Amino acid sequence: MSLEYEPKFSDSSFGFRPGRSAHQALHRAQEIINDGYKYCIDLDLEKFFDTVNQSKLVQLLSDTIKDGRVVSLVHKYLRAGVMTGHKFEATEQGVPQGGPLSPLLSNIMLNELDRELERRGLPFVRYADDCIIFCKSPRAAERVCESISRFIEKKLFLKVNREKTHVGSVNGQKYLGYSFYT
Protein backbone atom coordinates (compact mmCIF):
# COMPACT_ATOMS: atom_id res chain seq x y z
CA MET A 1 0.00 0.00 0.00
CA SER A 2 2.90 2.35 0.76
CA LEU A 3 4.18 2.04 -2.80
CA GLU A 4 0.76 3.09 -4.07
CA TYR A 5 0.81 6.31 -2.05
CA GLU A 6 4.47 7.37 -1.95
CA PRO A 7 4.38 9.13 -5.36
CA LYS A 8 1.23 11.01 -4.27
CA PHE A 9 2.81 12.50 -1.14
CA SER A 10 4.07 16.06 -1.04
CA ASP A 11 7.76 16.92 -1.31
CA SER A 12 7.20 19.00 1.84
CA SER A 13 6.24 15.92 3.89
CA PHE A 14 9.13 14.24 5.68
CA GLY A 15 7.82 11.99 8.48
CA PHE A 16 7.59 8.21 8.15
CA ARG A 17 8.78 8.20 4.56
CA PRO A 18 11.61 6.27 2.94
CA GLY A 19 14.77 8.32 2.44
CA ARG A 20 13.42 11.30 4.43
CA SER A 21 14.35 12.52 7.88
CA ALA A 22 13.76 15.19 10.50
CA HIS A 23 17.11 16.73 9.54
CA GLN A 24 15.93 17.11 5.96
CA ALA A 25 12.72 18.73 7.22
CA LEU A 26 14.72 21.23 9.25
CA HIS A 27 17.02 21.94 6.30
CA ARG A 28 13.99 22.62 4.08
CA ALA A 29 12.47 24.93 6.71
CA GLN A 30 15.74 26.88 6.89
CA GLU A 31 15.76 27.22 3.08
CA ILE A 32 12.23 28.69 3.20
CA ILE A 33 13.28 31.15 5.92
CA ASN A 34 16.34 32.12 3.86
CA ASP A 35 13.98 32.83 0.94
CA GLY A 36 12.39 35.64 2.99
CA TYR A 37 9.60 33.94 4.88
CA LYS A 38 10.08 35.41 8.36
CA TYR A 39 6.69 34.53 9.92
CA CYS A 40 5.15 31.17 10.58
CA ILE A 41 2.27 29.16 11.92
CA ASP A 42 3.42 26.28 14.11
CA LEU A 43 0.29 24.20 13.79
CA ASP A 44 -0.72 21.89 16.64
CA LEU A 45 -3.31 19.23 15.89
CA GLU A 46 -4.98 18.20 19.13
CA LYS A 47 -4.45 14.50 19.91
CA PHE A 48 -4.05 13.78 16.21
CA PHE A 49 -3.63 9.99 16.28
CA ASP A 50 -6.50 9.61 18.77
CA THR A 51 -8.94 11.78 16.84
CA VAL A 52 -8.51 10.84 13.17
CA ASN A 53 -11.98 10.51 11.65
CA GLN A 54 -12.03 6.90 10.44
CA SER A 55 -14.84 7.50 7.93
CA LYS A 56 -12.87 10.29 6.27
CA LEU A 57 -9.73 8.14 6.21
CA VAL A 58 -11.60 5.19 4.67
CA GLN A 59 -13.06 7.55 2.06
CA LEU A 60 -9.55 8.79 1.20
CA LEU A 61 -8.33 5.19 0.94
CA SER A 62 -11.26 4.30 -1.34
CA ASP A 63 -10.35 7.17 -3.67
CA THR A 64 -7.02 5.47 -4.47
CA ILE A 65 -7.35 1.79 -3.60
CA LYS A 66 -9.86 0.13 -5.89
CA ASP A 67 -9.73 -3.29 -4.20
CA GLY A 68 -12.55 -3.12 -1.67
CA ARG A 69 -11.06 -6.05 0.28
CA VAL A 70 -7.97 -4.01 1.13
CA VAL A 71 -10.04 -1.00 2.21
CA SER A 72 -12.25 -3.30 4.30
CA LEU A 73 -9.21 -4.87 5.96
CA VAL A 74 -7.81 -1.45 6.89
CA HIS A 75 -11.22 -0.45 8.24
CA LYS A 76 -11.26 -3.58 10.41
CA TYR A 77 -7.75 -2.74 11.62
CA LEU A 78 -8.98 0.71 12.66
CA ARG A 79 -12.03 -0.73 14.44
CA ALA A 80 -10.19 -3.63 16.16
CA GLY A 81 -10.11 -1.91 19.56
CA VAL A 82 -7.39 -1.86 22.19
CA MET A 83 -6.71 -3.46 25.53
CA THR A 84 -6.13 -1.03 28.39
CA GLY A 85 -4.96 -3.09 31.32
CA HIS A 86 -7.45 -5.97 31.33
CA LYS A 87 -10.25 -3.97 29.75
CA PHE A 88 -11.21 -3.92 26.06
CA GLU A 89 -11.98 -0.49 24.57
CA ALA A 90 -13.66 -0.05 21.21
CA THR A 91 -11.95 2.30 18.73
CA GLU A 92 -14.48 4.34 16.82
CA GLN A 93 -12.06 7.11 15.98
CA GLY A 94 -8.32 7.51 15.63
CA VAL A 95 -5.55 5.26 14.44
CA PRO A 96 -3.64 2.98 16.83
CA GLN A 97 -0.51 4.73 18.05
CA GLY A 98 2.46 2.45 17.49
CA GLY A 99 0.52 0.32 15.02
CA PRO A 100 2.42 -0.75 11.90
CA LEU A 101 -0.01 0.96 9.52
CA SER A 102 -0.53 4.13 11.57
CA PRO A 103 2.37 6.18 10.14
CA LEU A 104 1.21 5.50 6.57
CA LEU A 105 -2.43 6.18 7.45
CA SER A 106 -1.49 9.46 9.12
CA ASN A 107 0.39 10.55 5.99
CA ILE A 108 -2.60 9.62 3.82
CA MET A 109 -4.88 11.75 6.00
CA LEU A 110 -2.52 14.71 6.27
CA ASN A 111 -1.67 14.61 2.56
CA GLU A 112 -5.01 16.38 2.15
CA LEU A 113 -3.64 19.25 4.26
CA ASP A 114 -0.42 19.23 2.23
CA ARG A 115 -2.33 19.48 -1.05
CA GLU A 116 -4.46 22.34 0.26
CA LEU A 117 -1.36 24.27 1.36
CA GLU A 118 0.24 23.67 -2.05
CA ARG A 119 -2.96 24.74 -3.81
CA ARG A 120 -2.76 28.01 -1.86
CA GLY A 121 0.92 28.44 -2.76
CA LEU A 122 2.04 28.36 0.88
CA PRO A 123 5.51 27.06 1.73
CA PHE A 124 5.43 24.55 4.58
CA VAL A 125 7.21 21.60 6.12
CA ARG A 126 5.42 18.66 7.71
CA TYR A 127 6.95 15.88 9.76
CA ALA A 128 4.17 13.47 10.80
CA ASP A 129 1.58 15.70 12.51
CA ASP A 130 4.07 18.53 13.17
CA CYS A 131 3.46 21.18 10.54
CA ILE A 132 4.99 24.63 10.14
CA ILE A 133 3.59 27.01 7.51
CA PHE A 134 5.55 30.07 6.39
CA CYS A 135 4.39 33.58 5.46
CA LYS A 136 6.04 36.90 4.66
CA SER A 137 4.03 39.10 7.05
CA PRO A 138 2.41 38.77 10.46
CA ARG A 139 -0.99 39.70 9.01
CA ALA A 140 -0.72 36.98 6.36
CA ALA A 141 0.26 34.45 9.04
CA GLU A 142 -2.82 35.32 11.12
CA ARG A 143 -5.11 35.05 8.08
CA VAL A 144 -3.57 31.74 7.00
CA CYS A 145 -3.87 30.34 10.51
CA GLU A 146 -7.59 31.10 10.63
CA SER A 147 -8.39 29.84 7.14
CA ILE A 148 -6.29 26.67 7.33
CA SER A 149 -7.74 25.90 10.78
CA ARG A 150 -11.23 26.10 9.26
CA PHE A 151 -10.15 23.75 6.45
CA ILE A 152 -8.68 21.24 8.91
CA GLU A 153 -11.75 21.26 11.14
CA LYS A 154 -14.44 21.34 8.43
CA LYS A 155 -12.86 19.13 5.74
CA LEU A 156 -10.58 16.75 7.66
CA PHE A 157 -12.63 16.66 10.88
CA LEU A 158 -9.53 17.20 13.01
CA LYS A 159 -9.17 19.72 15.82
CA VAL A 160 -6.58 22.49 15.87
CA ASN A 161 -5.30 23.17 19.37
CA ARG A 162 -5.46 26.96 19.26
CA GLU A 163 -3.71 27.33 22.62
CA LYS A 164 -0.64 25.43 21.39
CA THR A 165 -0.68 26.73 17.81
CA HIS A 166 1.87 29.54 17.56
CA VAL A 167 1.67 32.39 15.03
CA GLY A 168 4.53 34.86 14.80
CA SER A 169 8.13 35.48 13.88
CA VAL A 170 10.34 32.54 13.02
CA ASN A 171 12.96 33.98 15.40
CA GLY A 172 13.19 31.61 18.34
CA GLN A 173 10.43 29.38 16.94
CA LYS A 174 11.05 25.73 17.81
CA TYR A 175 10.33 23.01 15.32
CA LEU A 176 11.31 19.38 15.86
CA GLY A 177 13.47 20.49 18.80
CA TYR A 178 15.41 23.07 16.79
CA SER A 179 15.09 26.86 17.10
CA PHE A 180 15.31 29.17 14.09
CA TYR A 181 17.07 32.53 14.13
CA THR A 182 17.40 35.05 11.33
Side-chain angles (χ1 to χ4, degrees):
M1 197 163 74
S2 177
L3 295 175
E4 182 87 21
Y5 279 97
E6 190 58 34
K8 298 177 186 308
F9 290 150
S10 169
D11 285 340
S12 296
S13 165
F14 291 88
F16 308 124
R17 296 190 53 206
R20 292 176 169 255
S21 69
H23 285 92
Q24 290 171 322
L26 292 167
H27 180 73
R28 179 66 186 124
Q30 189 63 61
E31 288 176 345
I32 294 168
I33 292 166
N34 292 345
D35 285 344
Y37 291 87
K38 305 297 183 198
Y39 298 90
C40 67
I41 301 107
D42 179 19
L43 194 60
D44 185 83
L45 299 176
E46 192 169 299
K47 299 179 182 174
F48 171 73
F49 284 93
D50 295 334
T51 61
V52 167
N53 182 293
Q54 292 179 357
S55 296
K56 178 67 177 177
L57 180 55
V58 168
Q59 178 235 317
L60 293 172
L61 289 168
S62 298
D63 290 346
T64 300
I65 300 170
K66 299 308 174 197
D67 187 339
R69 296 170 300 175
V70 174
V71 175
S72 177
L73 188 61
V74 173
H75 194 239
K76 288 176 184 173
Y77 165 79
L78 293 170
R79 294 289 207 168
V82 294
M83 292 296 292
T84 307
H86 295 289
K87 184 179 175 197
F88 174 79
E89 291 181 24
T91 49
E92 296 178 12
Q93 67 178 12
V95 294
Q97 288 192 50
L101 279 181
S102 297
L104 174 61
L105 295 175
S106 70
N107 274 334
I108 291 168
M109 183 66 143
L110 291 175
N111 193 52
E112 296 300 298
L113 171 61
D114 298 348
R115 294 299 171 209
E116 179 66 14
L117 292 169
E118 289 171 347
R119 189 185 67 73
R120 296 180 186 197
L122 295 166
F124 71 97
V125 175
R126 186 175 63 75
Y127 189 91
D129 62 330
D130 291 321
C131 184
I132 190 167
I133 306 163
F134 296 92
C135 297
K136 290 197 173 179
S137 75
R139 186 165 178 242
E142 290 290 344
R143 279 195 324 266
V144 167
C145 183
E146 282 308 310
S147 65
I148 208 65
S149 294
R150 277 193 307 276
F151 171 83
I152 290 166
E153 292 175 351
K154 301 269 192 251
K155 301 288 185 183
L156 301 181
F157 310 110
L158 297 167
K159 183 155 177 45
V160 174
N161 184 334
R162 295 181 193 263
E163 290 176 16
K164 290 185 178 179
T165 294
H166 176 267
V167 179
S169 170
V170 295
N171 273 322
Q173 177 61 49
K174 275 194 162 194
Y175 184 66
L176 303 178
Y178 175 84
S179 295
F180 297 104
Y181 295 97
T182 57

